[in-house]
Each structure stands twice: as C-alpha cells, then as structure tokens.
Amino acid sequence: MRNNLNLFLVLFGLFNSVEIVAQTSKPNILFIFADDLRADALGCYGNSYVKTPTLDSLARAGTLFSNAYIVGGHHGAVCAPSRAMLMSGQSFFRVKDKLNGVHTLPIHLRQLGYTTFMTGKWHNEPEALAAGFDEAQNVLLGGMANHFEVAVRDLQPGGSFTQAVKKGFSTDIFTQSALDFLEKQSEAEHFFAYVPYSVPHDPRSPLPEYLKLYDEKSAPLPPNFMPLHPFSFGNSMGIRDELLAPFPRTPEIIRAQTAEYYALITHLDRSVARLIQKLRDKGLDRQTLIVFTADNGLALGSHGLLGKQSVYEHSMRVPLIVAGAGIPENKRSDAFAYLLDLFPTLCSYAGLELPTHIDGKNLLPIILGKQKSVRTHVLTAYMDFQRSVRDSRYKLIRYPAIDSTLLFDLRKDPHELKNLAENPRYQQKIIELTAHMQQEQQKLGDHLPLTAAQLMPKTWDYRTIVRKPDQWQPKEIVEKYFKE
C-alpha cells in the first residue's frame, strides 16, 4: 500500500498545477501502447481483481476516456490496421494496415523538430518505421512472438535493420530499451518515445513471479462468459485466436488463461512505473505528456470467444489515459474517442501544425473541459461480416453475411447479453441507428452493404474445427492447452 501511495504522490507531483508545456516549449511525449488489452482489465476501469497500481495512479493524475474505441480491422490480425490508424489518423478503410508512403505521426513530429524513438512491436512495414523514427532499438517486426524468445532488430543508418537476435522476455527488453533512451535525454531536447509492448497478447506465458500473484483456479470469469458463441458471424469460427482453448470453453480453462493474462498485465504495469520513475530521475517529468492506450481488446471467454475478431465491447473498446502538464487530474470523460484521434490531439497539445486530410478529431478541447464531445456515434467493424454503431445508450450490431441484427441497451446491459432487436418497442431505434451506421460508414470510407448478396449459414459446429498450436506457443502452453 505504501508503494502505491508513493507512486500516486510522484505522479500527482509530476502533473499538478502546471500550465500546458506547449505554451512555452514543445513537450516531450511518452506513448505507451499495450497489445490485446481490453479496457476492463485495469483497476481504473473497474476491475477490482487485477493488480495495476501504476496505471490506476496515472489515471488519477490525468484524464481517462471511458469510451475509447478502435474502428476495427479487415483481417484477423486486428492489431495491424489498428496501429496503422493510430499512426496515420485515418480509418482502415483508407490505409488498411500498410503505412509505407503514408504521412504518419512520427514523420510529422520528426519534420517539426522532434527526436523520434521507438522500441517494441511494429506491424506496419519496416520502411514506414525507418521513415518516421530517428532511432529504433530492439524492434519486433511482426505481429507476435514467444515472449521468452522474442527476435528483435535495431534500425541502422540508411533505413536497414540488423539481423534478428533472440533475447530475453519481451516486456523487459522493450522497457530497458526505453529506459536507455530516456537516460540520454536532457531538458533542452524534446522527444517522441513510442513504446508499443507485445503484451498481454498471447502466448499467455508470463514470468513465474507475476503468475504467482494470481490463482488460476479462482480468477473471475467475465460476466458474459459462454461455453460457445451461439451463432456464426458468417466467416470461419476457427480463426487462430479461437484455437487457444478447446471447444466448448470451460470455466477452469478460462480462469487459468485469465490469470495468465492478468499476470502479463501486472508485469506491464510495473514496467510503466519504471519509465515514469526514469522521467522523474532525469527531471523530464514536468515537460512530458504520457499517453497509455491499446490496439484492441480481447474476448477471453466473453460470449464464448477468445480473440478480438468481433464488434462486441470487449474487443473494440480500449483503455485511454492521458497525463501531463495542464491535463486535468482525476478526470473521467465518457466522450467517444478513436485511437486515430490521437494524431491531431497530440499535435494540438504540443502547439504544432495539425495534419490535414485525416479522419481523426482533436480531443484536447474535451480534455480541457471546453467541449463535451467530437462525435455522437461510434462505428466499429470487422471484415465484411460485422458492423456496429452506438450512441450514448444503445448499440446496434449488424451481420450482413447472415442477415441478422442485435440491439443492446448498454446502460442496462453493458455486457451485451439481452438482444432487444425482436422487441417491437425498439424498431424505431433500430431504424434510427441503422441510418447513423450508414452515415458513419460514409464518413470513414466504408462501402459495405448491410445485407450481403449471398448469405451464409448462421449455425456452426465446433466439432469440425481442428485445433493446432501456432509456431509461437511455448512448449508449456502446448502441453497445457493443446494436449487431448
């Protein structure tokens, strides 16, 4: 408890009673990005079981967005288009997951005088990384890896990369690289440090010292746990993420994987504490904006699913915390935000020229209490099989390939369990939200018809799916979850 209190006092001291740095000089930006982190897997988002004292303190020292979303993705590796949208400020309907030749956030900041640095996961073409960053150390070029044997590379002058070398645990490698960079900085410089971790993405194989913090037999199940998803979305239900546990899902296995997931999150939380402490040690705390968010959520037993390939809240909603000079403390905003809004928001905070021709909107007026919202509806999407739109209360999900609609009252039913679509009382709400869905599709460049020309079966049989581990799962995970 004393350590948690000390951390909060440090954070409070970092950010309390300070004018926005951009008024006098360019602020530093430390951008910390998690991988597959659902919003409700943090204490500050209402999870009383997981241990995240650093991020909880960061939220108290800054502003937390309770309704931050990704737009979605056009293939199963949702993290790739999500990261492309973050870096470009554009929807994936325009950039997909490719960034080569795109004017990105690091390119923009670099052109305006920032030193740009990254360490961690990069899933959007190595050429785009080289174009945006002055320095990149211990980079994972790809979507995932065995955390104990992550193969990393360094950016070389001229834009090439060193040969991949397998080192230690991913979280520790990336943290130490960021610490080394921060150690070299001075108060006279201004930097953008991008630290995209590869946790808590699977393999769910945490270090033993973190796993022992959780009981694999008593970790809580999600409120919307189901053994199987009740219908097919129209696409295969056997995508890679869904193979990480047997069908039907059992409470025992979901509890065990949840404990592993939380252990990875706590390791990440303690690593963020080390980065914050380094800022303080270097005297960089009062001139550095800290952003913490994630590329997408994860089901992990919710609705009978494991992955992020759905438009349910657990997959599309992400944490978003902003803390730094001039940012209101202990503030929670329920305004809708997309990850792609962070490009213009960071530029506005730093007093820099805003990018043009992007989909993102500036969230700074919301943060400063000058504006309540920048959008009234949020559209999320997955491939050609799922679309959703929500307002401040209701959420409509449309499945074009099976010609099916769901409607949820998120105020009364935040876990999306009671479908109201067949209730005659809500038909006008469905018509209204369908119109908004089409409007948001147009804004983001999405041209998918809401009913497919050729319909697919709504039923599915888990017994037809063959489970095989992918190449990144360590031996102990294979033994634990793939042996019959």
Side-chain angles (χ1 to χ4, degrees):
M1 178 66 71
R2 179 176 294 274
N3 289 339
N4 293 354
L5 176 61
N6 289 342
L7 177 61
F8 173 65
L9 292 175
V10 166
L11 289 168
F12 187 81
L14 299 189
F15 308 132
N16 189 33
S17 301
V18 184
E19 296 298 323
I20 292 182
V21 176
Q23 294 176 357
T24 56
S25 62
K26 295 176 181 176
N28 302 318
I29 300 170
L30 173 60
F31 197 114
I32 304 167
F33 207 40
D35 194 349
D36 279 9
L37 178 62
R38 53 188 285 169
D40 61 4
L42 299 178
C44 52
Y45 279 85
N47 189 318
S48 60
Y49 186 80
V50 70
K51 298 173 176 63
T52 53
T54 305
L55 294 169
D56 300 344
S57 295
L58 188 67
R60 291 193 294 271
T63 294
L64 177 151
F65 282 84
S66 57
N67 286 315
Y69 289 85
I70 67 169
V71 177
H74 61 292
H75 55 58
V78 175
C79 57
S82 181
R83 290 159 190 262
M85 289 185 280
L86 168 71
M87 288 286 128
S88 68
Q90 300 181 64
S91 81
F92 77 85
F93 302 108
R94 306 192 208 283
V95 298
K96 302 297 183 186
D97 55 355
K98 307 301 182 185
L99 287 178
N100 194 16
V102 176
H103 185 74
T104 62
L105 173 62
I107 289 176
H108 195 73
L109 295 176
R110 191 179 188 185
Q111 290 177 348
L112 295 175
Y114 271 78
T115 296
T116 55
F117 165 84
M118 74 102 27
T119 181
K121 171 178 168 177
W122 184 266
H123 204 190
N124 303 105
E125 299 179 307
E127 298 86 355
L129 186 157
F133 292 96
D134 296 295
E135 183 181 351
Q137 297 292 323
N138 289 318
V139 177
L140 166 61
L141 291 176
M144 62 178 292
N146 181 338
H147 294 302
F148 290 91
E149 297 180 345
V150 58
V152 291
R153 308 166 188 262
D154 296 340
L155 177 64
Q156 300 183 112
S160 62
F161 289 84
T162 58
Q163 291 296 313
V165 177
K166 290 184 178 180
K167 298 186 179 180
F169 198 86
S170 64
T171 304
D172 293 333
I173 294 170
F174 303 147
T175 301
Q176 189 57 54
S177 296
L179 291 171
D180 292 343
F181 172 77
L182 294 175
E183 178 62 33
K184 297 184 296 183
Q185 306 312 302
S186 70
E187 294 185 43
E189 300 169 300
H190 40 273
F191 62 80
F192 171 67
Y194 177 53
V195 189
Y197 285 95
S198 57
V199 293
H201 193 295
D202 72 274
R204 288 188 261 283
S205 52
L207 290 173
E209 58 262 41
Y210 294 100
L211 184 57
K212 71 181 182 181
L213 298 174
Y214 298 96
D215 185 350
E216 294 188 48
K217 295 183 179 180
S218 64
L221 294 173
N224 47 12
F225 168 77
M226 297 178 188
L228 293 168
H229 194 269
F231 58 88
S232 168
F233 301 126
N235 58 313
S236 171
M237 301 298 285
I239 197 165
R240 188 205 73 89
D241 289 26
E242 298 302 329
L243 304 183
L244 297 176
F247 301 98
R249 319 306 188 187
T250 65
E252 293 77 17
I253 286 184
I254 296 303
R255 290 184 193 279
Q257 293 202 8
T258 297
E260 295 160 350
Y261 183 68
Y262 286 171
L264 291 168
I265 293 169
T266 296
H267 188 179
L268 170 63
D269 185 84
R270 293 189 180 178
S271 299
V272 173
R274 296 177 64 194
L275 299 181
I276 292 172
Q277 185 61 50
K278 176 61 72 173
L279 290 175
R280 185 167 182 259
D281 293 344
K282 292 290 295 182
L284 301 171
D285 43 346
R286 294 182 179 273
Q287 63 193 70
T288 301
L289 178 73
I290 300 175
V291 179
F292 179 85
T293 186
D295 59 357
N296 50 254
L298 199 70
L300 203 61
S302 293
H303 291 99
L305 304 170
L306 291 182
K308 59 264 190 179
Q309 296 82 11
S310 75
V311 294
Y312 290 120
E313 293 289 289
H314 50 67
S315 296
M316 294 287 128
R317 183 167 160 260
V318 294
L320 174 57
I321 302 168
V322 183
I327 302 296
E329 300 140 9
N330 204 26
K331 176 178 178 178
R332 300 179 73 93
S333 172
D334 60 2
F336 292 138
Y338 279 133
L339 287 188
L340 51 80
D341 295 332
L342 291 172
F343 191 158
T345 301
L346 295 181
C347 291
S348 180
Y349 177 85
L352 302 176
E353 175 186 346
L354 295 180
T356 57
H357 303 100
I358 64 171
D359 297 305
K361 297 180 182 295
N362 181 10
L363 301 175
L364 190 60
I366 295 174
I367 294 171
L368 299 181
K370 298 179 179 179
Q371 191 172 326
K372 288 187 177 181
S373 64
V374 293
R375 54 176 62 83
T376 59
H377 294 78
V378 165
L379 174 81
T380 59
Y382 177 66
M383 297 183 67
D384 288 344
F385 302 102
Q386 303 177 51
R387 294 293 183 270
S388 81
V389 70
R390 64 157 298 190
D391 59 20
S392 60
R393 179 169 180 174
Y394 292 96
K395 178 174 177 179
L396 180 77
I397 300 180
R398 179 64 185 166
Y399 301 100
I402 59 172
D403 191 20
S404 183
T405 298
L406 304 181
L407 178 70
F408 299 109
D409 181 345
L410 294 180
R411 189 176 301 169
K412 295 181 178 180
D413 179 26
H415 304 295
E416 300 166 289
L417 290 169
K418 185 178 180 180
N419 179 23
L420 303 174
E422 301 303 319
N423 189 325
R425 292 175 50 201
Y426 295 96
Q427 296 312 299
Q428 187 57 42
K429 175 57 69 172
I430 291 174
I431 293 171
E432 172 192 322
L433 286 177
T434 300
H436 282 293
M437 180 180 288
Q438 293 170 326
Q439 292 169 11
E440 297 303 314
Q441 284 184 285
Q442 186 175 13
K443 290 178 185 177
L444 294 175
D446 175 19
H447 305 294
L448 180 73
L450 295 181
T451 301
Q454 182 175 353
L455 298 182
M456 304 295 291
K458 191 174 182 178
T459 58
W460 68 289
D461 185 351
Y462 70 88
R463 294 168 297 185
T464 65
I465 297 174
V466 178
R467 293 180 63 242
K468 291 183 179 180
D470 58 64
Q471 60 183 307
W472 298 286
Q473 303 299 321
K475 181 179 178 181
E476 62 269 22
I477 294 293
V478 174
E479 291 289 332
K480 188 173 184 180
Y481 295 120
F482 286 89
K483 295 296 184 182
E484 297 297 333

